[in-house]
Amino acid sequence: MSECLFCKIVEKKIPAKLVHEDELTLAFDDIHPQAPVHTLVIPKRHVSAVQDLGLGDESLLAQLLISCTKIAALKGVQESGYRVVTNTGRDAGQTVFHLHFHVLGGRPMAWPPG
Ligand code: AMP
Ligand code: ZN
């Protein structure tokens, strides 16, 4: 059995508040939201981080970003704006090593990020 937290969510072995699901991706609300809208979009297949995608993963990458835009629409932040972020490695603060895109919105956000 996979020890990866997000693989366990894909396998429905641990609960999550699902927002969207398709053949390749899953989206669920972040357990510690940093904004009124904070949803994670992940590939169902285990991928550690964005650099582990390569040629041959075009459909998956496209579907991940399309899922992010669907979340923004579903959560009502398409017009007000939102941020899509993927933390990669130590300096970026990645804590879960299963690729995920954060979809954040519902409040103004600062730039540059902290
Ligand atoms: P990162 O720090 O970019 O790797 O993001 C990992 C995110 O996963 C954090 O925002 C956590 O709050 C979130 N997270 C950790 N465990 C869970 C969980 N069981 N369900 C939903 N989100 C989680
Ligand atoms: Zn995984």
Side-chain angles (χ1 to χ4, degrees):
M1 192 177 89
S2 172
E3 288 309 306
C4 170
L5 177 66
F6 287 177
C7 281
K8 286 181 184 164
I9 289 178
V10 172
E11 293 160 8
K12 312 273 195 302
K13 287 183 174 138
I14 63 170
K17 198 168 165 228
L18 295 191
V19 180
H20 176 72
E21 180 169 9
D22 58 42
E23 194 188 331
L24 298 175
T25 74
L26 191 70
F28 52 92
D29 285 334
D30 198 290
I31 204 166
H32 294 125
Q34 302 299 316
V37 173
H38 189 174
T39 300
L40 303 175
V41 177
I42 70 168
K44 287 184 167 176
R45 184 187 111 207
H46 182 84
V47 174
S48 297
V50 75
Q51 75 269 14
D52 291 337
L53 293 173
L55 294 175
D57 292 319
E58 293 91 343
S59 312
L60 176 58
L61 189 49
Q63 195 55 53
L64 284 163
L65 286 176
I66 289 165
S67 294
C68 290
T69 66
K70 281 190 180 143
I71 300 311
L74 279 169
K75 295 280 187 174
V77 294
Q78 198 171 37
E79 297 302 318
S80 52
Y82 57 97
R83 190 170 286 174
V84 175
V85 177
T86 185
N87 294 320
T88 305
R90 186 190 59 221
D91 277 358
Q94 184 177 5
T95 58
V96 177
F97 290 84
H98 180 128
L99 175 63
H100 49 282
F101 290 93
H102 298 256
V103 180
L104 295 146
R107 65 164 171 82
M109 273 171 272
W111 190 263

